[in-house]
Amino acid sequence: MLYATKEMILRDIEALPPDYKTKDIDALIRRYVKEQYDMSALRSEILTEQRLHRIYFYTSLKQLKSVYDRAAFIDNNLLFSDWWHTDQLIRFVSALDYETARRYSEKYLQSADLFVRRWGYVLWISKLCRDGAHVDELLSLMKNDDAYYVQMAQAWLIAELAIFFPEQVRRWMEGENTLSYSINGKAIQKICDSFRISAENKERFKALRSKLKERVPA
């Protein structure tokens, strides 16, 4: 096992072209994965040195074969500093079973860290949310949150569910939904922006706007 150091990684980054892109960082990651580098020494650095964040997570996660090991790694490393660092991890947990994903999600939604709460919603945005048996349960995870990036994650998940289960989502939004209009409005906008939702369904969701504005304060 080879052990990476911050100094080594930063030297490798500095050797890239001055205008390096994400693909250049990913080429480094592929090499580190091939050579089986242990990135644990970077853990204390990734919130202070943004360039190390992707390398730390991707190199570590790509060496883990089991989705459960990957989910556990993320759970032990909830070191997020912005929305992008949470969203990039979705594909590493998309093969979880529903019950395991639900346990993680419920835990994250209790966090004081807004980006961990965001992760509690965006981890579902894959094939995980496409089982019709769990639509109502996923919608029940929604609760009022003042953090913008959490609200955008909720809106994104609601819109994703509406792609596959528009009628169930519409009934929920019109019925037991108690979210603020700040969240509902964002969800409807994401639904209207989606290329995977029909014009007819978009109109049905847009028609709920006035009712939702009256029901719950913005």
Side-chain angles (χ1 to χ4, degrees):
M1 175 71 74
L2 300 173
Y3 291 89
T5 65
K6 175 183 177 180
E7 292 71 27
M8 181 200 87
I9 301 299
L10 291 180
R11 281 198 303 271
D12 286 346
I13 293 174
E14 294 301 328
L16 296 174
D19 59 344
Y20 70 85
K21 305 291 192 299
T22 301
K23 66 181 178 62
D24 299 307
I25 296 294
D26 286 346
L28 287 178
I29 291 169
R30 287 193 294 274
R31 176 163 67 82
Y32 299 147
V33 170
K34 182 177 180 181
E35 295 173 0
Q36 297 184 312
Y37 266 98
D38 182 325
M39 292 286 162
S40 56
L42 300 185
R43 188 178 191 277
S44 62
E45 306 284 350
I46 62 175
L47 292 182
T48 59
E49 178 56 72
Q50 290 273 331
R51 293 178 297 176
L52 301 179
H53 203 284
R54 185 181 185 88
I55 291 171
Y56 174 75
F57 273 94
Y58 273 41
T59 303
S60 302
L61 288 166
K62 287 185 174 185
Q63 292 184 70
L64 297 173
K65 304 304 182 186
S66 164
V67 66
Y68 298 100
D69 290 341
R70 291 175 177 177
F73 177 86
I74 294 170
D75 187 56
N76 290 324
N77 291 274
L78 297 172
L79 304 168
F80 307 136
S81 59
D82 59 34
W83 63 267
W84 187 79
H85 288 127
T86 55
D87 298 2
Q88 67 177 323
L89 300 177
I90 296 170
R91 65 190 180 94
F92 291 105
V93 300
S94 63
L96 282 174
D97 66 274
Y98 174 80
E99 293 300 333
T100 300
R102 175 88 184 200
R103 286 195 295 274
Y104 278 125
S105 178
E106 289 177 338
K107 171 185 173 181
Y108 302 148
L109 296 180
Q110 301 302 315
S111 175
D113 185 315
L114 73 94
F115 293 115
V116 174
R117 296 200 304 279
R118 180 180 173 90
W119 175 236
Y121 291 112
V122 300
L123 70 84
W124 293 105
I125 302 174
S126 67
K127 62 184 180 182
L128 271 174
C129 74
R130 297 173 195 169
D131 182 345
H134 301 303
V135 179
D136 292 335
E137 294 175 37
L138 290 180
L139 291 170
S140 74
L141 292 173
M142 302 294 167
K143 55 187 176 181
N144 284 304
D145 195 305
D146 293 333
Y148 172 80
Y149 289 113
V150 180
Q151 291 185 354
M152 291 303 294
Q154 292 174 294
W156 185 12
L157 178 53
I158 292 168
E160 188 76 8
L161 289 167
I163 292 169
F164 303 99
F165 313 103
E167 189 54 31
Q168 281 177 267
V169 175
R170 191 192 64 77
R171 287 199 306 267
W172 166 82
M173 188 172 280
E174 187 175 22
E176 61 267 34
N177 161 33
T178 58
L179 297 178
S180 72
Y181 189 73
S182 182
I183 302 169
N184 283 320
K186 289 179 177 66
I188 292 172
Q189 187 58 55
K190 279 196 169 289
I191 287 167
C192 292
D193 290 343
S194 175
F195 293 110
R196 296 185 289 169
I197 296 176
S198 70
E200 180 181 4
N201 280 323
K202 289 177 183 180
E203 289 302 317
R204 288 175 176 168
F205 280 101
K206 284 194 286 187
L208 298 178
R209 280 176 167 155
S210 58
K211 182 176 181 179
L212 292 171
K213 285 179 181 178
E214 293 173 0
R215 180 193 302 174
V216 183

